[in-house]
Each structure stands twice: as structure tokens, then as C-alpha cells.
Amino acid sequence: MNGTSFASGGAGIFNGTDEVYRQSLPLTKQVEYYSIVHDKLVQQLGSTSAEQHLSKSLFTIVIGSNDLFGYFGSSKLRNRTTPQEYVEEMIVTLKEQLKKLHSYGARKFVVTGVGPIGCCPAQRRKSSSGDCFQEMNDWAIKYNDGLKSTLGELKSVLNISYSYFETYDVLNNLVQQPTSYGFTEVKSACCGLGKFRSESPCLPIAKYCSNRRGHVFWDLYHPTEATHSILSDYIFDGPPKYIFPLSVKQLVAL
């Protein structure tokens, strides 16, 4: 086995984050499915060989944005809990899932922070001036700070190795200085309908931009392939202010 993906579009750290489509698998379910694969590996390879195999594997965690979208998009959630309480619970819940993964053999983690999600077209549309939703960005930063602290704690307690990626800083650089990276459009999506092409997902009826390479965002939420290419390069072997304490290249070599 060379790799397995348990990722699910629209998923969050919390169960029930995907209230719109109700089709995604939350992190708890993804970890549960991984535990099944773990048990099958033990049966096939034996306990020692399976643990050796898993100890060299990379466990990549890219999650959190949908939970924040869910909070700021729900008056019910905002009335029930403060953003500080919500973000703290996100971190506690993720920490428990990381510990579960560790109990099933995970030793090397690649974890990405949440980006400046208040700057995606779906959030800019809500502003008459097309500005970013700064409050959402501020809580993304607070979540990232808590996540970095948690990873440090887990390293000291569980002796894990990890790469943490500052998605926020890198993507924010692209948004604030687009021409330096070859981009010409930061507000509007490449594919969609309406204001900033953000009033509809990228469906067959949507309008497409003529140069997707010039757009930071593909649709109302997600970056383009060109943006992801830059992010991937930084994750693999970028400068230590963006990927630390180890780059993925260094993590693989351990």
C-alpha cells in the first residue's frame, strides 16, 4: 500500500459541519475509517512490520476552514457560543483525533493552518466594497496559534515529528501582492456566477474566466491549481518561516 485518502469535501473537525449538503465525512469518521485500514495492515503484515510501515508514513491533516465558515454562517452557533469558545473547542477536538491517530501508529504529521478564508470570493461578496471579512480572518489566525501550540505539546508528550504549514501567511502574500506571483485577479473566482463569480458553485451553467492562471481563486471558496502549485512548493521545501519545524522534504528523510 502506497497511500490512502480519507479526505471528504466539505468536512470539518466537528460532526455536522456540512449542514448544507450533508454528504461529507467529518474528521471523526475519517479517523474511524483509518483505524479499520490499520487493523487490516496488522493482519496482513503482522504487528511489528505494520508499525514500522506506518511510522515512516506521512499523515496529512488539512481541515478547519469549514468549521469557521459554519460558525460565522450560523446565527444559532453564534448565539450559543463565543468565537473564542468555538475555536478552543476546535483545537481540543482536533487534538483528540491526532492522539487517536498516534495510537494507531501515526508518527509523522503534515498539518496545515487555516488560510485567510475571509478573503475568498464568497466572503468578499458580502461586502459592498469587496473587502475581506476581517473578523473571520482574525479567528483563523487565533485558531492557527492554538494549533501550533498543540502540535508542540504533542511533540513533547508523544514524540511525534511534524511539519506545520503557515497557509495563512503564504496565501495572504498572494492576495496582497498578486503580481509578484504572476496573478492578476484576487477578488473574483474563475468559475461561477454573479458578483465576483461567487453566487454559484462551478456548475455547467457557470461562466469561466479566460485565464485561470491569473486567478488566485477557482470558485467561491477554493484556490486555483496555480495557487495550489505555489502552496505545494512551499510545503515541500519552503523557507522555515512558512513550514516548520521541518519541511516535508526533511520529514520524509527522517
Side-chain angles (χ1 to χ4, degrees):
M1 180 182 293
N2 294 321
T4 305
S5 175
F6 302 93
S8 179
I13 295 170
F14 294 136
N15 297 342
T17 295
D18 179 16
E19 289 292 338
V20 177
Y21 301 107
R22 298 178 182 272
Q23 294 178 330
S24 64
L25 301 175
L27 183 60
T28 52
K29 182 61 68 173
Q30 294 174 38
V31 173
E32 178 185 329
Y33 285 164
Y34 162 69
S35 70
I36 296 173
V37 172
H38 169 273
D39 292 347
K40 289 183 177 179
L41 277 176
V42 171
Q43 291 175 4
Q44 293 173 3
L45 304 177
S47 179
T48 300
S49 294
E51 296 309 312
Q52 289 177 345
H53 177 77
L54 292 170
S55 70
K56 298 176 183 178
S57 302
L58 298 184
F59 290 76
T60 304
I61 312 293
V62 183
I63 205 161
S65 297
N66 290 319
D67 297 281
L68 290 173
F69 281 134
Y71 178 81
F72 284 99
S74 170
S75 58
K76 181 179 178 181
L77 275 176
R78 294 198 308 275
N79 289 332
R80 191 172 66 199
T81 183
T82 67
Q84 181 69 45
E85 292 168 339
Y86 187 82
V87 165
E88 288 176 354
E89 188 61 28
M90 284 175 63
I91 295 166
V92 169
T93 305
L94 177 58
K95 182 178 181 180
E96 289 306 308
Q97 296 307 311
L98 293 175
K99 289 167 68 175
K100 282 187 178 181
L101 288 172
H102 178 270
S103 72
Y104 285 106
R107 296 296 181 268
K108 295 182 180 183
F109 293 88
V110 180
V111 184
T112 68
V114 171
I117 54 177
C119 293
C120 71
Q123 298 304 317
R124 286 185 184 271
R125 183 185 74 231
K126 300 175 183 179
S127 167
S128 59
S129 60
D131 291 336
C132 299
F133 182 12
Q134 193 54 47
E135 184 182 4
M136 182 179 285
N137 283 346
D138 290 341
W139 285 105
I141 292 172
K142 287 183 171 62
Y143 166 76
N144 291 340
D145 288 342
L147 176 57
K148 285 180 280 189
S149 177
T150 294
L151 289 171
E153 293 174 13
L154 291 176
K155 177 176 174 59
S156 62
V157 174
L158 302 179
N159 196 31
I160 63 169
S161 299
Y162 69 91
S163 299
Y164 171 81
F165 181 54
E166 285 281 20
T167 313
Y168 190 101
D169 290 350
V170 176
L171 190 51
N172 194 51
N173 287 344
L174 271 59
V175 170
Q176 299 300 327
Q177 307 169 51
T179 56
S180 298
Y181 298 89
F183 295 102
T184 56
E185 178 58 61
V186 300
K187 292 185 177 182
S188 179
C190 176
C191 181
L193 290 171
K195 183 179 180 181
F196 299 137
R197 292 199 182 99
S198 65
E199 296 177 13
S200 165
C202 188
L203 300 172
I205 61 171
K207 294 183 178 180
Y208 298 84
C209 63
S210 59
N211 177 24
R212 66 187 68 183
R213 176 62 184 82
H215 281 64
V216 172
F217 289 96
W218 167 248
D219 62 11
L220 69 171
Y221 292 115
H222 305 100
T224 57
E225 182 179 353
T227 300
H228 276 117
S229 178
I230 293 172
L231 298 178
S232 298
D233 287 344
Y234 273 86
I235 290 173
F236 182 68
D237 195 22
K241 67 177 180 178
Y242 296 129
I243 182 77
F244 54 84
L246 299 168
S247 69
V248 171
K249 182 179 180 180
Q250 293 169 326
L251 188 64
V252 170
L254 289 180

